Amino acid sequence: MIEPFVYPTAQCIAGVDEVGRGPLVGAVVTAAVILDPARPIVGLADSKKLSEKRRLALYDEIVEKALAWSLGRAEPAEIDSLNILHATMLAMQRAVAGLAITPDLVLIDGNRCPKLPMRSQAVVKGDSRVAEISAASILAKVTRDREMAELDLSFPAYGFAQHKGYPTAFHLEKLAQHGATQHHRRSFAPVRRALEAAPFAE
């Protein structure tokens, strides 16, 4: 059983989560969400544990009901120059900075916080324990999944819509077969190996 989360005292709380640290392609996408206590959203949970249909329905509800929400991102070139951890922290800073309302506390999924101008706290398994982080995880995942579906239209051979850029056996096979696209993260070992074997795919 996951230990329940005890909220610190704060007037305005934002939750932050990221999606896309593990994939070999595309941006790492983050979201920051401030929920409206007067308009509760039923069924918020870790985005990975929800069906796609449920995620999409909750995405629309969060966008409609949240007091404020914002997306942040770090592109493959930034991931390659900074490394994935620092790029993720940068994307989280961008999401918080984009909020129309400034929170006095930011709860971050995981075990570390980016540098922020307000109080922040890391919450392990926060996407299952904190409603604001669950909401952020849903916005980030739906956004990134949609981007992978769009990329799939440009590069149908790689199967991005199915594996979302993660290093599945199919993705690794296609990477070896066709080479890397310009959207792949060059600093990740399987992509680096593919680039050594052949230049970018057209």
Side-chain angles (χ1 to χ4, degrees):
M1 181 180 153
I2 295 174
E3 187 184 335
F5 180 70
V6 179
Y7 279 81
T9 305
Q11 293 296 314
C12 180
I13 296 173
V16 175
D17 200 5
E18 55 72 28
V19 172
R21 281 178 67 165
L24 306 177
V25 69
V28 59
V29 176
T30 58
V33 179
I34 299 172
L35 295 174
D36 185 349
R39 303 180 78 194
I41 298 170
V42 177
L44 289 173
D46 175 1
S47 62
K48 297 184 290 295
K49 294 178 180 163
L50 298 166
S51 69
E52 185 177 11
K53 184 180 176 185
R54 188 79 192 101
R55 256 198 317 270
L56 292 171
L58 282 166
Y59 176 95
D60 291 340
E61 196 175 350
I62 294 161
V63 167
E64 182 200 342
K65 290 183 175 178
L67 288 175
W69 63 273
S70 170
L71 295 168
R73 55 194 297 116
E75 301 299 339
E78 293 177 304
I79 293 167
D80 291 335
S81 66
L82 295 171
N83 78 35
I84 186 61
L85 173 63
H86 289 99
T88 301
M89 295 293 127
L90 176 62
M92 286 181 170
Q93 288 170 333
R94 288 169 173 166
V96 173
L99 287 168
I101 299 168
T102 303
D104 57 347
L105 173 65
V106 179
L107 300 174
I108 309 242
D109 184 54
N111 58 8
R112 65 176 70 208
C113 295
K115 286 191 176 68
L116 293 170
M118 68 286 289
R119 197 162 48 114
S120 62
Q121 180 180 330
V123 184
V124 174
K125 292 194 172 18
D127 47 11
S128 300
R129 299 168 65 205
V130 176
E132 289 84 355
I133 296 177
S134 300
S137 81
I138 291 164
L139 293 194
K141 179 154 178 59
V142 170
T143 300
R144 194 177 190 284
D145 284 359
R146 285 174 175 168
E147 290 179 10
M148 287 296 104
E150 281 179 29
L151 199 60
D152 191 67
L153 298 176
S154 302
F155 299 93
Y158 293 83
F160 293 136
Q162 280 71 48
H163 55 64
K164 309 297 190 283
Y166 284 89
T168 62
F170 180 86
H171 188 186
L172 294 174
E173 180 193 329
K174 296 304 172 185
L175 193 57
Q177 193 177 340
H178 300 294
T181 70
Q182 66 266 38
H183 303 282
H184 276 90
R185 301 171 182 178
R186 304 179 190 203
S187 56
F188 282 42
V191 181
R192 205 165 54 239
R193 285 195 293 271
L195 285 169
E196 284 164 4
F200 280 128
E202 290 303 319

